[in-house]
Amino acid sequence: MFFPVRKSFAIQLRSVYSIATKSNGLLHSKIMKFPISKRYAASDYIGVETKSRISDFINRFQIMNPLNKSRFEANSWILYEKVVDQIPFEEIIKKLNLPDTLNSWFVITELHLWMIFVRLMHEKTKGSMIRNFIMEALWNDVEFRSKKLGHISSDIRHKQITELSDQLRGALVGYDEGWLTNDMVLASMVWRRIFNQQCDDPEKIESVVRYIRKQMSILQLQTFDSLFTEKDVKWIKFI
């Protein structure tokens, strides 16, 4: 799992990708503007109610429609590709002095997906479903990239991916805790996850925390349409 992966590999989208490319617009939900509380996180959302119970029930009913569900899946996979393609990996790895490995790629991708998940959880049922589809796209991408790294047996690759899955669940909870508490807790999570507890330069940790706070403030202001339908995701310059 620790081989150079500087060149990105295009993810292998399933048949849902063809659905997206042949459809026009796919989803054009009504744009909603609402304030977003800081106390919202990927693993559990707490805070403002954005819709009435009746509206949420209608959303649940519409989402269960097979056609709508397939469209959500297609758009989610495309959103994943767009999000990952625009992450400034080279810049982050260089400034944080991280090894150019699949593991570094994963923890950086994981961080950015978590920030997207925090925003999506405001959409309740719809957001949870999109999050799950994005997770499917992530593991498909990890599987594809791991096969490109060298001759590794399928058993070893499966074990390594399982370990990444366990780490991801813990990371989402850890980032949530930092987001909902304070910068000290968030910095501790960054030190453990991004730097694998091997960083003696507090300025690097501080730069990641500052990057998270600035990026999250931008994502919080995005409407659902701009994020999911238009896939207008712009990562700020890593300082």
Side-chain angles (χ1 to χ4, degrees):
M1 294 292 284
F2 300 95
F3 297 89
V5 288
R6 187 171 297 278
K7 294 183 179 179
S8 62
F9 302 104
I11 70 171
Q12 290 182 318
L13 295 179
R14 300 180 296 177
S15 58
V16 293
Y17 187 83
S18 62
I19 297 174
T21 55
K22 294 178 182 178
S23 303
N24 293 322
L26 289 181
L27 295 174
H28 295 284
S29 304
K30 182 179 179 182
I31 296 177
M32 295 186 64
K33 295 183 178 180
F34 48 85
I36 299 177
S37 168
K38 176 182 174 182
R39 298 193 61 81
Y40 245 113
S43 58
D44 187 22
Y45 47 92
I46 310 168
V48 296
E49 288 289 337
T50 60
K51 297 178 183 178
S52 68
R53 291 185 178 182
I54 295 178
S55 177
D56 189 51
F57 174 79
I58 293 174
N59 265 341
R60 288 172 181 265
F61 181 78
Q62 291 176 338
I63 288 172
M64 292 307 295
N65 181 297
L67 180 59
N68 285 338
K69 189 173 182 179
S70 66
R71 288 174 175 173
F72 268 97
E73 184 176 14
N75 261 351
S76 299
W77 280 60
I78 297 172
L79 176 60
Y80 167 82
E81 186 177 25
K82 187 71 175 292
V83 165
V84 174
D85 282 349
Q86 296 189 18
I87 296 174
F89 289 109
E90 301 270 348
E91 187 179 342
I92 294 175
I93 287 176
K94 181 179 180 181
K95 291 192 175 183
L96 299 182
N97 195 28
L98 298 175
D100 186 16
T101 63
L102 179 61
N103 188 68
S104 293
W105 172 86
F106 186 83
V107 296
I108 293 172
T109 300
E110 167 189 272
L111 171 63
H112 288 77
L113 290 181
W114 166 75
M115 290 191 280
I116 295 293
F117 293 161
V118 172
R119 171 60 186 86
L120 286 174
M121 293 313 294
H122 288 278
E123 306 300 328
K124 291 192 167 182
T125 302
K126 186 164 54 178
S128 298
M129 184 175 66
I130 295 169
R131 177 197 59 191
N132 293 341
F133 285 142
I134 290 177
M135 291 292 285
E136 289 180 7
L138 169 65
W139 294 122
N140 182 82
D141 196 7
V142 170
E143 178 76 17
F144 178 74
R145 290 171 185 265
S146 65
K147 290 179 180 179
K148 294 288 186 177
L149 296 180
H151 299 290
I152 304 175
S153 70
S154 58
D155 289 340
I156 294 177
R157 185 168 60 249
H158 176 73
K159 180 181 179 180
Q160 292 172 333
I161 292 177
T162 300
E163 290 176 355
L164 287 179
S165 176
D166 293 339
Q167 293 170 12
L168 174 63
R169 285 194 291 269
L172 293 181
V173 174
Y175 283 126
D176 279 353
E177 183 183 8
W179 171 245
L180 299 178
T181 52
N182 56 58
D183 285 351
M184 289 185 63
V185 178
L186 184 57
S188 176
M189 179 58 199
V190 168
W191 175 70
R192 294 195 308 271
R193 188 60 179 149
I194 301 294
F195 296 99
N196 194 27
Q197 303 182 27
Q198 297 178 4
C199 179
D200 56 3
D201 185 353
E203 290 187 359
K204 290 181 180 179
I205 299 175
E206 182 185 5
S207 67
V208 179
V209 172
R210 188 165 58 248
Y211 174 74
I212 292 172
R213 292 298 185 190
K214 288 184 178 180
Q215 186 65 66
M216 291 288 266
S217 66
I218 294 173
L219 287 172
Q220 286 182 350
L221 298 176
Q222 282 197 255
T223 63
F224 176 73
D225 267 9
S226 68
L227 177 62
F228 187 64
T229 307
E230 301 172 12
K231 301 170 186 64
D232 182 22
V233 179
K234 294 183 177 65
W235 302 114
I236 63 175
K237 182 177 178 61
F238 187 80
I239 302 174

